[in-house]
Amino acid sequence: EVQLVESGGGLVQPGGSLRLSCAASGFTFSSVSMNWVRQAPGKGLEWLSGFGGDKIGRHADSVRGRFTISRDNAKNTLWLQMNNLTSEDTAVYYCAKGYSNLLSSGMDYWGKGTLVIVSS
């Protein structure tokens, strides 16, 4: 059974940092792309970052330079380091497994999410 469990969310002040983690199990972690997606209150899903089979982390324009995705295939873990957070980063953050090792293949499993609130 595929399981994705996010952690690390919470309340942070503007300008602060958080590191999200995603613990994966039930599939061959190293063989698929892994992604971070978020949903802000009242908005749709937004893809943030992903790691494909080329082992290159990619980021959406909205977070490039502030967020960094990383993964450890030996630990079946995905991370998202988030710096210089603003109120616009308030959202539920999801870890999502790709259908294949191509980022373009889409995502088939999602975790339950971790809530990040950026507020003073």
Side-chain angles (χ1 to χ4, degrees):
E1 178 188 6
V2 172
Q3 289 195 336
L4 300 168
V5 180
E6 302 95 337
S7 61
L11 175 64
V12 62
Q13 291 188 342
S17 298
L18 280 177
R19 189 190 195 201
L20 306 183
S21 299
C22 172
S25 62
F27 62 99
T28 305
F29 183 77
S30 60
S31 297
V32 297
S33 64
M34 292 297 300
N35 302 267
W36 286 101
V37 179
R38 72 183 177 188
Q39 186 167 28
K43 297 188 177 180
L45 293 168
E46 178 187 14
W47 178 85
L48 299 175
S49 304
F51 245 120
D54 60 3
K55 301 180 182 179
I56 297 174
R58 290 177 168 81
H59 302 81
D61 289 345
S62 58
V63 303
R64 188 175 296 118
R66 298 189 301 124
F67 290 10
T68 303
I69 189 173
S70 59
R71 68 189 290 174
D72 185 331
N73 290 338
K75 296 181 179 180
N76 286 3
T77 303
L78 184 75
W79 293 280
L80 185 69
Q81 177 66 43
M82 306 188 297
N83 298 327
N84 195 22
L85 289 162
T86 74
S87 58
E88 306 226 330
D89 296 314
T90 294
V92 178
Y93 286 71
Y94 298 94
C95 168
K97 169 188 168 293
Y99 280 102
S100 74
N101 67 347
L102 297 175
L103 276 179
S104 58
S105 67
M107 293 161 275
D108 57 359
Y109 286 91
W110 302 67
K112 294 183 179 181
T114 186
L115 176 62
V116 172
I117 299 174
V118 184
S119 175
S120 55

